Amino acid sequence: MKDVHNVSADADGRLFDPQARAALVQFIGGDDTLAMEAAAAVRTASHAIERMRAQGSENRGLSSGTLDVLLRLSASADGMTIGDLAKSAGVSSRNVTGLVDTLERDGLVQRAPAPHDRRSVLARITPAGQEWIENWRRPTQLAMGAIFRDFTPDDLAQLRHLCLRLADNHHKLTQYLNGAR
Amino acid sequence: MKDVHNVSADADGRLFDPQARAALVQFIGGDDTLAMEAAAAVRTASHAIERMRAQGSENRGLSSGTLDVLLRLSASADGMTIGDLAKSAGVSSRNVTGLVDTLERDGLVQRAPAPHDRRSVLARITPAGQEWIENWRRPTQLAMGAIFRDFTPDDLAQLRHLCLRLADNHHKLTQYLNGAR
DNA sequence: ACTTCATCATGAAGGACGTACATAATGTCT
DNA sequence: AGACATTATGTACGTCCTTCATGATGAAGT
């Protein structure tokens, strides 16, 4: 079986994807490929994580979107409104409505009227939801441990740091764009 | 407007997501949260990149999956088979068939019989496809530059490196699992 | 108080990505 | 020649996500 997957190491001993670089170098001069390569690498990594997570929480019946919402709700004891969930997840509020629908159908989340604003709906995690997460925790932990094999705590912190800087840039950018409109 | 998006800095000056950490700390003891936090951060970053890319190549009509295939094809002058594309992208071959369908409908890619194996189909990028990528390059470069604002070349290389290490782990893992089956 | 405008959740409709299973054509091995 | 594997694709389906429209509610100005 021919192996398409391939990584090489550059002069600093850092990995890069030769295929991605070849595709980029012919269009963009030297330095600017760095950002594109990094972006492609992040995408690949995210896919890998998604795969592992799906494999780990298999048979449990929750998919990426709903899991994302459930995790956010498990973090806030008082629940969150649909709109807040949408903002924090970076997706449309209509989408969150649907995700909460399925979670509610499964009994993992409950809707309640919001105290301050009668237009809003408060989503709150149920005991069944908490339990679901309890069961999800162990295999996921193992899966993440496997995919981050040989990462030092410093590596992990640095990866987190760089990714969040990126997300922060994006957030500021969209805020700026919306403000300028 | 209440701002849900939020990042803080830890003792090392590195960013973290307080909400994600709060959600994790109550389940997992100290050190193991690092991997989960990193995974969540990668997911967030990937979303941000996807957003920027969609915004940059807007009005051009290609979405993430098809763009991924087109980029891979632009890297190999002789074209690639459906199966190889599927392997390198980490998705099912049936999925790639559909993506190549839409690309072919748009005239950006052509199918041809593979010389060595008459079961295989060779997908090759057309001149129109090359041109499409030419037009895509500039806005995307700008978008990536914006989202990676204040990243030093070393930051970018390190981010790429960490992400590819992760992907490499994942690849070895799945290979191991498939071999053991 | 009344009007006007903004915001919230949701209905309706649709696009894109991705999967699993079945199948016909072709390769490979014994 | 026959048994089995592999390749691409048809069929059927699920999930995520979007935009636009709508009814209910809040907020702000007069």
Side-chain angles (χ1 to χ4, degrees):
Chain A
M1 161 173 129
K2 182 164 66 175
D3 195 357
V4 181
H5 177 89
N6 202 5
V7 289
S8 307
D10 61 14
D12 300 343
R14 292 216 182 91
L15 298 179
F16 70 96
D17 180 343
Q19 223 170 347
R21 178 167 292 180
L24 294 172
V25 153
Q26 61 191 109
F27 296 124
I28 310 171
D31 281 3
D32 284 358
T33 62
L34 271 177
M36 304 282 284
E37 282 188 71
V42 170
R43 184 165 196 263
T44 303
S46 171
H47 270 186
I49 288 178
E50 205 60 52
R51 274 295 176 93
M52 283 302 284
R53 191 165 72 171
Q55 206 163 18
S57 77
E58 206 171 20
N59 305 330
R60 305 229 158 273
L62 281 201
S63 306
S64 68
T66 49
L67 177 55
D68 199 71
V69 168
L70 189 60
L71 278 177
R72 283 174 207 280
L73 289 179
S74 83
S76 85
D78 297 342
M80 295 174 70
T81 69
I82 304 286
D84 281 352
L85 280 169
K87 273 181 217 148
S88 77
V91 296
S92 73
S93 96
R94 183 60 186 87
N95 185 20
V96 173
T97 295
L99 298 175
V100 170
D101 279 351
T102 59
L103 285 171
E104 198 174 23
R105 232 193 325 273
D106 292 352
L108 306 179
V109 154
Q110 252 187 344
R111 265 182 245 249
H116 309 313
D117 189 334
R118 286 194 314 196
R119 296 168 301 177
S120 294
V121 169
L122 216 61
R124 206 174 311 157
I125 193 169
T126 65
Q130 308 265 14
E131 190 190 338
W132 191 96
I133 288 199
E134 279 294 330
N135 294 333
W136 170 82
R137 170 176 55 121
R138 171 67 39 191
T140 302
Q141 230 176 316
L142 291 178
M144 291 302 118
I147 206 172
F148 283 115
R149 176 184 303 275
D150 295 335
F151 275 62
T152 68
D154 197 66
D155 285 340
L156 291 172
Q158 184 68 12
L159 177 58
R160 186 196 69 216
H161 170 69
L162 290 170
C163 286
L164 290 184
R165 265 177 69 192
L166 191 155
D168 199 42
N169 272 352
H170 176 248
H171 179 248
K172 283 174 185 158
L173 219 81
T174 55
Q175 227 175 25
Y176 170 74
L177 291 178
N178 286 344
R181 183 184 300 159
Chain B
M1 163 172 125
K2 182 163 68 174
D3 195 356
V4 180
H5 178 90
N6 203 4
V7 290
S8 306
D10 62 14
D12 300 342
R14 292 215 183 93
L15 298 179
F16 70 97
D17 181 341
Q19 222 170 347
R21 179 167 292 180
L24 294 172
V25 153
Q26 61 192 107
F27 295 125
I28 311 170
D31 280 4
D32 283 358
T33 62
L34 272 176
M36 304 284 283
E37 283 188 71
V42 169
R43 183 166 198 261
T44 304
S46 171
H47 269 186
I49 287 178
E50 206 59 52
R51 275 294 174 95
M52 283 302 283
R53 190 166 72 171
Q55 206 164 17
S57 78
E58 206 170 20
N59 305 330
R60 305 228 158 273
L62 280 201
S63 304
S64 68
T66 50
L67 177 56
D68 200 72
V69 168
L70 190 60
L71 280 176
R72 284 173 206 281
L73 289 181
S74 83
S76 84
D78 297 342
M80 295 174 70
T81 69
I82 304 286
D84 280 353
L85 279 169
K87 271 180 217 147
S88 76
V91 297
S92 73
S93 98
R94 183 59 186 90
N95 186 18
V96 172
T97 295
L99 298 175
V100 170
D101 279 352
T102 60
L103 285 171
E104 198 173 23
R105 233 195 322 276
D106 291 353
L108 306 179
V109 154
Q110 251 186 345
R111 264 181 246 248
H116 308 312
D117 189 334
R118 285 195 314 196
R119 295 168 302 176
S120 293
V121 169
L122 217 61
R124 206 174 312 159
I125 193 168
T126 65
Q130 306 265 15
E131 190 191 336
W132 191 97
I133 288 198
E134 279 294 329
N135 294 333
W136 170 80
R137 169 177 55 120
R138 170 70 37 192
T140 302
Q141 229 177 316
L142 291 178
M144 290 304 119
I147 207 174
F148 283 116
R149 177 184 302 276
D150 295 334
F151 276 60
T152 67
D154 196 66
D155 286 339
L156 291 172
Q158 197 176 9
L159 177 59
R160 187 197 67 214
H161 171 70
L162 291 169
C163 286
L164 290 184
R165 266 176 68 193
L166 191 156
D168 199 43
N169 273 350
H170 175 249
H171 179 248
K172 283 176 186 156
L173 218 81
T174 56
Q175 226 175 24
Y176 170 73
L177 291 178
N178 285 344
R181 181 184 299 157

